């Protein structure tokens, strides 16, 4: 419970605040136009925390902000930490977006143009670039593109000073130090302060965070119980396997021992001295003498 961040300390980069403000079509539209340097004529719907899982067996994803303008699909993610395997994460997000699009269509040509936009407060690649843009191009000739209509863009707010575009630089700077220096960042900052005072926002925020906390606690408990049962079952299986192996070894050992006894008996019948039998087959002298006494 102590890990839930107080509402008063929330900033635009906190996921719940970010997704709430991005429901504002005008702010969402301007953000896309600024960061992607494209014109967005109309936003049909910005959806916060959209969950996608094309098939029951597949790993679903929860997108921070999902936007559809009719011809293009945008996924906007806010990251306050460096995501693990960010490239593979974006690749999977791309595949989920495509599968979701194909469920509504029937042929590849109906796939919409997609933009996956990660806004990071840390540099995921350590190259000190304010932006990293990825498109599929031919290695042998970079002028050749397979034109799959997919673009992946990662913004690194920590390098805002290196960004040449003044509007983008102002936005990245705002993410870093909450310093609003233009109309757009002023608008965002006012929205942040507005929601922090909103009782409805506070209620929604605490409801979501409490639910997340309960799910994590449940997962921990179930994980412990599952791990205990799994470990118990594994222990039994390991024990069985060890028992089998020990049984085999014991059988081999007992079989070898019996072979030595039978050999000793034959040697005794051949009148070979008991000391010599001990030396040749490795049985204790007392055992050999006992066998000889039993045979006499």
């Amino acid at each position: 419970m102590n890990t839930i961040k107080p509402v008063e300390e929330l900033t635009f980069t906190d996921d719940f605040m970010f997704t709430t403000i991005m429901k504002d079509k005008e702010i969402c539209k301007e953000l896309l136009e600024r960061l992607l340097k494209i014109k967005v004529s109309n936003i049909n719907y910005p959806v916060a925390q959209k969950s996608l899982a094309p098939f029951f067996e597949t790993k679903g994803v929860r997108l921070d902000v999902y936007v559809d303008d009719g011809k293009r699909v945008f996924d906007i993610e806010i990251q306050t930490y460096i995501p693990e395997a960010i490239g593979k994460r974006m690749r999977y997000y791309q595949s989920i977006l495509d599968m979701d699009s194909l469920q509504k269509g029937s042929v590849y040509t109906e796939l919409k143009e997609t933009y996956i936009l990660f806004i990071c407060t840390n540099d995921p690649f350590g190259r000190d670039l304010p932006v990293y843009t990825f498109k599929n191009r031919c290695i042998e000739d970079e002028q050749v593109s397979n034109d799959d209509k997919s673009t992946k863009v990662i913004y690194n707010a920590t390098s805002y000073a290196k960004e040449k575009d003044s509007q983008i630089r102002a936005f990245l700077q705002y993410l870093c130090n909450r310093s609003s220096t233009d109309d757009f960042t002023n608008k965002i900052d006012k929205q942040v302060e507005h929601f922090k005072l909103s009782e409805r926002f506070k209620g929604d925020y605490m409801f979501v965070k409490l639910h997340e906390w309960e799910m994590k606690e449940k997962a921990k408990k179930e994980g412990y119980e599952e791990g205990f049962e799994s470990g118990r079952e594994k222990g039994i299986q390991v024990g069985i396997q060890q028992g089998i192996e020990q049984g085999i070894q014991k059988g081999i050992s007992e079989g070898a021992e019996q072979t030595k006894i039978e050999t000793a008996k034959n040697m005794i019948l051949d009148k070979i001295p008991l000391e010599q039998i001990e030396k040749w087959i490795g049985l204790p002298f007392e055992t050999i003498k006992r066998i000889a006494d039993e045979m006499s």
Side-chain angles (χ1 to χ4, degrees):
M1 289 292 293
N2 293 331
T3 61
I4 298 178
K5 190 173 184 179
V7 173
E8 296 74 22
E9 297 178 12
L10 294 180
T11 68
F12 181 62
T13 58
D14 288 293
D15 58 351
F16 193 80
M17 180 66 77
F18 177 78
T19 55
T20 300
I21 292 178
M22 291 300 288
K23 291 177 185 177
D24 184 311
K25 288 188 178 183
E26 291 304 313
I27 291 179
C28 186
K29 176 177 179 292
E30 186 167 352
L31 180 69
L32 289 174
E33 291 183 335
R34 279 196 180 206
L35 298 186
L36 298 178
K37 299 180 180 179
I38 60 175
K39 291 301 294 181
V40 180
S41 58
N42 180 51
I43 290 180
N44 292 335
Y45 51 90
V47 181
Q49 302 288 323
K50 179 177 177 66
S51 296
L52 293 176
F55 302 104
F56 178 77
E57 297 86 357
T58 61
K59 173 182 173 63
V61 297
R62 189 175 68 172
L63 309 179
D64 283 350
V65 180
Y66 175 88
V67 179
D68 187 328
D69 75 346
K71 295 181 179 180
R72 296 170 294 193
V73 173
F74 305 88
D75 167 32
I76 312 170
E77 303 290 323
I78 188 76
Q79 298 289 332
T80 55
Y81 64 94
I82 298 177
E84 182 181 3
I86 189 170
K88 289 183 178 179
R89 182 185 294 249
M90 298 181 90
R91 170 182 162 187
Y92 189 69
Y93 283 16
Q94 179 70 58
S95 68
I96 293 293
L97 288 173
D98 288 343
M99 290 299 295
D100 185 64
S101 179
L102 274 184
Q103 284 184 330
K104 301 167 185 175
S106 58
V107 293
Y108 297 123
T109 54
E110 293 184 25
L111 280 173
K112 293 181 179 180
E113 185 175 1
T114 60
Y115 288 85
I116 297 178
L117 173 60
F118 271 55
I119 303 169
C120 301
T121 57
N122 295 287
D123 190 343
F125 302 109
R127 304 295 292 181
D128 198 26
L129 295 176
V131 60
Y132 301 89
T133 303
F134 300 91
K135 285 179 175 285
N136 291 327
R137 296 190 180 279
C138 177
I139 294 175
E140 289 74 17
D141 186 346
E142 292 186 357
Q143 299 302 313
V144 178
S145 170
N146 65 2
D147 195 30
D148 64 353
K149 303 298 183 184
S150 67
T151 304
K152 301 173 182 66
V153 182
I154 301 172
Y155 271 99
N156 161 37
T158 59
S159 298
Y160 70 86
K162 292 189 174 183
E163 175 56 51
K164 296 179 180 179
D165 186 298
S166 61
Q167 291 187 329
I168 296 176
R169 184 170 63 250
F171 176 72
L172 297 180
Q173 182 179 357
Y174 175 69
L175 297 183
C176 266
N177 54 32
R178 296 184 231 175
S179 174
S180 52
T181 57
D182 66 357
D183 291 342
F184 182 58
T185 53
N186 283 334
K187 184 189 299 183
I188 291 175
D189 199 53
K190 286 180 181 178
Q191 287 284 69
V192 170
E193 295 306 315
H194 164 74
F195 284 116
K196 284 162 66 172
L197 296 174
S198 168
E199 293 301 323
R200 179 173 178 178
F201 176 85
K202 290 179 183 179
D204 290 345
Y205 172 71
M206 290 307 298
F207 174 80
V208 169
K209 290 303 174 182
L210 284 171
H211 179 69
E212 290 177 355
W213 179 80
E214 288 174 352
M215 291 298 100
K216 287 179 182 178
E217 291 300 308
K218 182 179 179 181
K220 285 180 184 178
K221 182 179 179 182
E222 290 179 351
Y224 171 80
E225 292 174 350
E226 182 180 341
F228 178 82
E229 288 301 322
S230 176
R232 181 173 176 273
E233 181 66 24
K234 185 176 180 181
I236 292 172
Q237 293 301 323
V238 170
I240 291 172
Q241 184 61 33
Q242 289 178 345
I244 292 171
E245 292 174 358
Q246 290 172 4
I248 292 172
Q249 292 300 321
K250 184 178 180 181
I252 292 172
S253 178
E254 290 178 351
E257 188 77 7
Q258 186 62 37
T259 299
K260 289 180 180 181
I261 291 172
E262 294 300 324
T263 302
K265 288 180 180 180
N266 290 332
M267 295 176 76
I268 290 170
L269 291 174
D270 290 337
K271 308 298 183 182
I272 296 175
L274 301 186
E275 293 81 0
Q276 193 64 46
I277 296 173
E278 177 189 14
K279 181 179 180 181
W280 283 353
I281 66 176
L283 279 175
F285 181 82
E286 295 78 9
T287 301
I288 297 172
K289 188 173 184 310
R290 178 176 54 77
I291 294 171
D293 291 342
E294 292 173 353
M295 292 176 64
S296 61

